[in-house]
Amino acid sequence: MSLDKLKLSKPLITAMTDAGYISAKEIQAKTLSRIIGGQDIIAIGPEGCGKTTAYVLGVLMKLKYSTDEAPKVLILVPDGERVEAVIAEFMRLSRNRNLRIIGLYGTGGMEEDINILLDGIDIVVATPTRARAVYLKLGLNLNRLQMLIVDDAELIVKQGMQLPVAELARSAGKVQHLIFTTVVHDKLNMLTDQFMNFPFATVEVEELGSAEAETHELLLYQLPNFKTKVNLLNLLLSDEEVFDKVLVFVNTRLTAQKLGKSLRTARPGDVSVLNPLFFDEEGFDHIDDFKESPEARVLIAANEGFSGTDFSGIHFIFHFEVPEEKELFLSRVVKNNEEELVAITFASDLELGEIKKIEQAMGKKIEVMDLPEELVIDKAVKTAAKTKKEDDDLPKGGGAYHEKKESNSKNYNYGIGQKAKMNMKKKHS
């Protein structure tokens, strides 16, 4: 899309051209008019789709020159590296403008930052914890704030910084709120519900890789927490005829030990751990030993101690936790032989961002499965989900428990062979 379609000022078009931009991104085309018009938005898109540039352009279009000491824009990001990256983008696109901007992050003294703020600032880019600390020291004046922007919102939630974001948003009063994120889920909705202005717009774009990878069969279950993941794994593994030889991946050996003790076993040796932490635990030192053991049916392996990818003789692998490195996930699911394999992933709200990155790398979406009716969901989360659904006044969309479109509703599952398909179909009908 041509840059002219964004209806930017001539200086901004020139700045974008000088910075190397030759066309507008979809997220920019869908959000800029709303940003300039003053509407609250939640913008959802993968890494690299142009979210940061979208709000930088919006701010530069709206921000008028003034000599006020109090900032007009507060931008909250997860860490110091993102603070510097956002400031750099502002500098690239405002070369012919006297823009007063400051970055707040770190854990040291804040006297210098407060002095700069008191001299007069237009834009503050900060981590939520640092911004809140400076605000409580009376160094950050929010009385003249016009825009509050939360970038990489899913990472801010993942790092547990919802409280300072909510406190700053409430302290700022009635301002325009812009939320940029790779994914929306219940935990993020619980944060934004506290301060978003109604009605707000939700804008979503998807940019998958141009080449689609050839993978084994992939399934995804969206689950609220560890306990519910255990419940689902126990439920699925209860069908010993289908799940006859299974490999379950977690991120650490400690989690492998915990999960091994949480799974129900029909007989001794049914569930074991690869390279167990303690000598008295059921386990194997090598995956080949597991394959050759007729008694062993489920092997739990930690990503941190697993280097092999030979899944011959194993028909199902579970990613009980999403690997921290997407390359590790891809190395297991991309086809390199003719052997049939189903890779089932359990993802919590906080892991959905990693799923988006994996899908982007593969060039395709992972099939999202309905939760079985007989699945026991953790009580606290179940209550929260029920309250969310019953409250018609709350904004809709995005969470792991949102109401599905009819076209996306599934009452079937996939497996290896007709028997697996039929057996798993019964579990989800």
Side-chain angles (χ1 to χ4, degrees):
M1 178 184 294
S2 170
L3 293 175
D4 294 332
K5 297 290 185 180
L6 296 180
K7 298 181 180 180
L8 300 171
S9 64
K10 288 184 179 179
L12 268 181
I13 292 288
T14 302
M16 289 193 73
T17 303
D18 291 344
Y21 292 99
I22 58 175
S23 62
K25 296 289 188 74
E26 183 183 359
I27 192 78
Q28 296 154 11
K30 287 186 173 182
T31 59
L32 260 174
S33 61
R34 297 179 184 274
I35 294 173
I36 296 170
Q39 186 176 21
D40 278 21
I41 64 170
I42 296 178
I44 311 157
E47 279 187 345
C49 73
K51 297 191 295 292
T52 300
T53 302
Y55 70 73
V56 168
L57 291 172
V59 169
L60 293 176
M61 281 291 290
K62 292 191 67 173
L63 198 62
K64 306 301 181 185
Y65 175 80
S66 78
T67 57
D68 288 344
E69 294 179 355
K72 302 296 187 300
V73 181
L74 173 61
I75 302 169
L76 302 176
V77 296
D79 52 47
E81 184 178 349
R82 282 296 296 151
V83 170
E84 296 293 345
V86 171
I87 292 176
E89 187 69 358
F90 270 106
M91 293 297 101
R92 284 209 304 163
L93 299 179
S94 61
R95 291 180 181 175
N96 301 321
R97 187 168 178 174
N98 183 22
L99 193 68
R100 302 174 301 170
I101 187 168
I102 185 175
L104 303 178
Y105 61 93
T107 56
M110 48 185 91
E111 281 189 22
E112 184 179 353
D113 290 339
I114 291 175
N115 289 333
I116 295 173
L117 286 164
L118 293 176
D119 286 340
I121 283 292
D122 298 311
I123 302 169
V124 176
V125 186
T127 59
T129 49
R130 186 67 168 188
R132 178 178 179 269
V134 176
Y135 173 75
L136 294 177
K137 289 282 187 179
L138 305 181
L140 179 58
N141 186 350
L142 302 179
N143 292 335
R144 300 292 183 88
L145 204 66
Q146 298 172 5
M147 302 172 72
L148 174 63
I149 302 170
V150 183
D151 196 6
D152 288 329
E154 80 288 351
L155 293 180
I156 286 176
V157 172
K158 189 173 184 178
Q159 294 172 13
M161 294 189 286
Q162 299 98 309
L163 179 60
V165 172
E167 288 186 355
L168 289 166
R170 288 195 293 265
S171 299
K174 191 172 179 60
V175 300
Q176 182 183 12
H177 304 101
L178 308 177
I179 311 298
F180 289 82
T181 180
T182 60
V183 65
V184 172
H185 47 61
D186 282 353
K187 289 184 174 63
L188 182 56
N189 282 333
M190 289 173 66
L191 170 62
T192 58
D193 286 352
Q194 298 180 58
F195 56 81
M196 292 290 281
N197 297 319
F198 297 97
F200 64 82
T202 299
V203 177
E204 184 170 8
V205 301
E206 288 191 12
E207 292 185 5
L208 298 174
S210 55
E212 183 176 322
E214 185 180 3
T215 66
H216 294 289
E217 196 151 21
L218 305 177
L219 308 176
L220 173 65
Y221 287 95
Q222 296 179 359
L223 300 157
N225 49 42
F226 185 94
K227 184 177 178 181
T228 310
K229 285 184 178 184
V230 172
N231 293 343
L232 179 58
L233 189 57
N234 272 318
L235 183 62
L236 295 178
L237 293 181
S238 64
D239 191 335
E240 297 183 17
E241 190 175 2
V242 171
F243 297 99
D244 56 346
K245 210 71 169 177
V246 176
L247 190 55
V248 181
F249 287 106
V250 294
N251 283 331
T252 68
R253 293 174 67 194
L254 189 61
T255 305
Q257 176 194 0
K258 180 179 179 182
L259 180 59
K261 294 180 178 178
S262 301
L263 294 182
R264 295 190 293 269
T265 59
R267 55 185 179 273
D270 196 40
V271 176
S272 53
V273 176
L274 184 66
N275 298 317
L277 281 175
F278 304 110
F279 70 91
D280 57 344
E281 291 181 3
E282 291 284 350
F284 296 95
D285 293 330
H286 301 285
I287 189 172
D288 289 339
D289 297 333
F290 164 70
K291 294 177 183 179
E292 294 169 3
S293 172
E295 295 83 14
R297 184 170 68 96
V298 181
L299 180 66
I300 304 170
N303 290 325
E304 63 184 9
F306 188 87
S307 57
T309 54
D310 180 14
F311 299 136
S312 58
I314 296 175
H315 294 152
F316 289 90
I317 64 170
F318 284 84
H319 285 107
F320 186 85
E321 295 179 309
V322 180
E324 296 174 358
E325 300 293 335
K326 66 176 182 293
E327 291 77 14
L328 185 58
F329 184 99
L330 294 172
S331 70
R332 295 169 181 163
V333 303
V334 173
K335 273 191 174 182
N336 52 20
N337 55 51
E338 296 302 318
E339 192 156 341
E340 284 189 287
L341 179 71
V342 176
I344 302 174
T345 302
F346 293 174
S348 66
D349 281 355
L350 300 185
E351 293 172 308
L352 290 179
E354 300 304 317
I355 293 294
K356 289 288 186 181
K357 294 176 185 177
I358 289 169
E359 292 175 333
Q360 193 177 9
M362 293 191 303
K364 64 179 181 181
K365 306 284 288 182
I366 302 176
E367 180 87 26
V368 179
M369 306 310 298
D370 288 339
L371 300 181
E373 292 182 3
E374 60 268 43
L375 174 66
V376 177
I377 297 176
D378 181 74
K379 186 176 181 180
V381 175
K382 189 175 182 180
T383 302
K386 182 179 179 181
T387 303
K388 185 84 172 176
K389 186 175 181 182
E390 289 176 350
D391 191 348
D392 292 334
D393 295 329
L394 294 180
K396 301 293 188 289
Y401 301 97
H402 64 280
E403 191 169 332
K404 292 181 173 62
K405 296 179 181 178
E406 186 176 351
S407 60
N408 291 333
S409 180
K410 308 288 183 185
N411 61 358
Y412 59 87
N413 205 332
Y414 295 98
I416 294 175
Q418 189 63 30
K419 179 173 64 177
K421 289 182 181 179
M422 295 305 298
N423 285 0
M424 294 183 74
K425 180 177 180 179
K426 291 177 184 177
K427 291 181 180 294
H428 297 78
S429 59

